[in-house]
Amino acid sequence: MNKPLTVVLVGPPGSGKSTQADFLVREMGAVHVDVGLALRKTAELDTPLGAKVFDIMNRRKELVPDDIVEEVLSGAFACIPPDHMAIVDGAPRCAPQIGIVDALLGVFERRVDAAISVVLSEEESVRRISRRWMCAQCNRPLISGVDFREGNELCPSCGKPLSRRKDDTEDGVRKRFRVFASNTVPVIEHYREAGVLFEVDGTKDPLEIFGDIRKHIESNFSGFSL
Ligand code: AMP
């Protein structure tokens, strides 16, 4: 059996990481580990842990402590079928999580084969997030004026009412962008030094970005099972 590929996706809020992860799932059969979504589910729990995660994500807009992220990742990695490409979307998000991700992937005889960084400016990030809505049913972001008509906040796929993420305010996205610049940029630099970084221009059309990612994967990882 060929080695299954493991890819981490990093980028600031609104850079379209989850859209690219969806393409990788649909077009290349990857399994999506969505750390932000798993943490939002934890934040909904009526437990002290749920309340703590809710406060960090939605009020302080900071990073959730590494031990909680480790727990979430450990459960998620255990669910990846051993022969599938895995997309880790949202971790590592700070330098200490690099070792945590490596150690947990090692348990499943995986390692970070490629890190894809979606590059976007703060102003573009704020502009996009101010128009971003979510469909809880389809679990996907939708852009007002692009994916649905303004004033008609219903999911075009399933018809359910759309909602806003609690941390998707202008202040919230600017704070998350600062957290990204100070905590996640060093992670990107680590992968650059390790020679596994691939940067894509997040302002391009999503399909074009996916084309770049696909070409990169197919030309650099032909010995892997995709
Ligand atoms: P996202 O859905 O990727 O935008 O993440 C939403 C929020 O979840 C972030 O602002 C953080 O509070 C939290 N979060 C997501 N991934 C991580 C991570 N790897 N480490 C710590 N906190 C995280």
Side-chain angles (χ1 to χ4, degrees), residues 204-216:
K204 284 190 185 173
D205 177 80
L207 256 176
E208 216 182 314
I209 299 174
F210 177 62
D212 293 344
I213 294 175
R214 173 173 224 155
K215 207 183 306 159
H216 175 75

Side-chain angles (χ1 to χ4, degrees), residues 11-14 17 34-40 53 56-58 60-66 69 73 89-94 97 101 129 132 165 167-168 172 176 179:
K17 295 189 299 292
D34 187 340
V35 184
L37 178 67
L39 288 170
R40 274 190 292 284
V53 173
I56 296 168
M57 290 178 77
N58 297 317
R60 287 160 44 192
K61 282 121 182 157
E62 289 170 357
L63 292 181
V64 171
D66 293 341
V69 174
L73 287 176
D89 165 7
R93 209 127 156 170
C94 56
Q97 289 182 14
V101 167
I129 295 282
R132 177 164 84 174
R165 259 174 61 169
D167 55 349
D168 274 357
R176 280 150 64 210
V179 170

Side-chain angles (χ1 to χ4, degrees), residues 26-179:
R26 280 205 309 269
E27 303 290 325
M28 301 185 84
V31 172
H32 183 192
V33 176
D34 187 340
V35 184
L37 178 67
L39 288 170
R40 274 190 292 284
K41 285 190 177 151
T42 306
E44 282 167 15
L45 298 175
D46 190 12
T47 62
L49 174 67
K52 179 175 170 179
V53 173
F54 184 93
D55 185 60
I56 296 168
M57 290 178 77
N58 297 317
R59 196 179 62 78
R60 287 160 44 192
K61 282 121 182 157
E62 289 170 357
L63 292 181
V64 171
D66 293 341
D67 57 335
I68 299 176
V69 174
E70 183 169 6
E71 182 95 23
V72 164
L73 287 176
S74 158
F77 288 173
C79 298
I80 304 170
D83 55 345
H84 274 59
M85 183 200 308
I87 306 301
V88 185
D89 165 7
R93 209 127 156 170
C94 56
Q97 289 182 14
I98 296 171
I100 292 175
V101 167
D102 285 346
L104 290 174
L105 287 176
V107 173
F108 302 98
E109 292 175 27
R110 288 176 180 264
R111 60 175 188 157
V112 176
D113 300 302
I116 295 171
S117 165
V118 189
V119 181
L120 200 72
S121 70
E122 176 171 350
E123 285 320 307
E124 183 59 17
S125 168
V126 171
R127 199 184 68 79
R128 287 188 184 181
I129 295 282
S130 65
R131 296 191 299 152
R132 177 164 84 174
W133 290 65
M134 297 297 296
C135 174
Q137 176 84 7
C138 305
N139 180 35
R140 69 184 185 104
L142 295 145
I143 305 299
S144 173
V146 176
D147 297 314
F148 63 93
R149 224 173 351 97
E150 209 181 321
N152 180 41
E153 281 80 27
L154 298 174
C155 176
S157 303
C158 72
K160 290 263 160 54
L162 302 175
S163 57
R164 302 295 315 264
R165 259 174 61 169
K166 290 194 176 59
D167 55 349
D168 274 357
T169 58
E170 176 165 347
D171 280 0
V173 66
R174 288 200 188 276
K175 174 78 192 282
R176 280 150 64 210
F177 201 93
R178 284 199 299 280
V179 170

